[in-house]
Amino acid sequence: ALFDLSMGKGRWSFDPMLRFSMEGKPWAFIFWGRYKLFDAPQFKMSIGAHPSVVFRDVTVTTNIGINKAYLTAQRYFAWEATPTYFPNKNIGFGINYLGSRGLTRDIVQNTTFLAVKTIFPRIALNQNYSLSFTPQIFYLKMDQLEGTYMSAIIGCSNKKYPISVSSILSKKIKSDIAGKDFVWNMSLIYNY
């Protein structure tokens, strides 16, 4: 269960992201602070940074041989820049850069994420329904491991209703990083 919130005034926003398993166990708490450097119709760019906490299960064997499970917290600090150019209202081109530093010793210490994307924000299906489509190619480096991937975000919405659906699809091109070759998800989004 993912809870993404955004509140702001002027060019500043606070965007907390809270992630939980379906059983209610916390996965991650991310507390973005963002600033819009440019907010024109044709060119937008924000910068941001956040502290975050990622939770993981650890099993420890006591000195009398009993295994105990604990939930541990791993801390990160990350930063981003997201320039996007819209030659018109129907298409955009963007770059996403994200870097992070692990603040806990037993985790990935340095991460770099760089994506190049094309944005089709409104593809009209009829008077009320529209699709959004954002294909991208990205590079991910986590300490000494690296990989390249392609992904797409596809969404469908109705302008009369606050509920929409979307999916993120991701395919590995070439990578040393552990993980499946193809992953996807479905999201039900409620905007209020």
Side-chain angles (χ1 to χ4, degrees), residues 10-57:
R11 293 180 178 255
W12 291 97
S13 70
F14 174 61
D15 306 317
M17 302 165 73
L18 308 174
R19 310 288 196 240
F20 296 89
S21 72
M22 294 306 287
E23 293 80 30
K25 185 187 288 187
W27 280 353
F29 297 159
I30 303 166
F31 302 101
W32 279 107
R34 291 188 169 110
Y35 180 75
K36 294 176 185 168
L37 283 174
F38 301 98
D39 195 19
Q42 284 193 303
F43 184 70
K44 300 178 183 307
M45 181 175 175
S46 69
I47 57 172
H50 73 71
S52 64
V53 180
V54 177
F55 299 94
R56 125 180 154 182
D57 289 318

Side-chain angles (χ1 to χ4, degrees), residues 18 46 67 99 104 106 109 153 156 178:
L18 308 174
S46 69
N67 290 333
T104 311
D106 64 336
Q109 294 298 295
I153 302 170
C156 183

Side-chain angles (χ1 to χ4, degrees), residues 152 166-171 180 182-187:
S166 72
S167 180
I168 301 173
L169 310 141
S170 186
K171 172 79 173 114
K180 295 180 180 178
F182 179 76
V183 294
W184 64 278
N185 73 7
M186 290 294 295
S187 298

Side-chain angles (χ1 to χ4, degrees), residues 72 148 165:
T72 62
T148 53
V165 294

Side-chain angles (χ1 to χ4, degrees), residues 66-118:
I66 298 173
N67 290 333
K68 291 204 169 226
Y70 293 96
L71 187 64
T72 62
Q74 301 170 323
R75 296 173 293 121
Y76 290 89
F77 182 77
W79 52 94
E80 72 173 359
T82 59
T84 308
Y85 171 64
F86 288 92
N88 62 57
K89 66 180 183 176
N90 296 317
I91 190 168
F93 305 98
I95 297 171
N96 283 14
Y97 166 76
L98 173 75
S100 78
R101 176 88 177 133
L103 302 176
T104 311
R105 287 184 169 274
D106 64 336
I107 59 175
V108 172
Q109 294 298 295
N110 295 295
T111 300
T112 300
F113 172 86
L114 182 63
V116 178
K117 63 184 176 181
T118 303

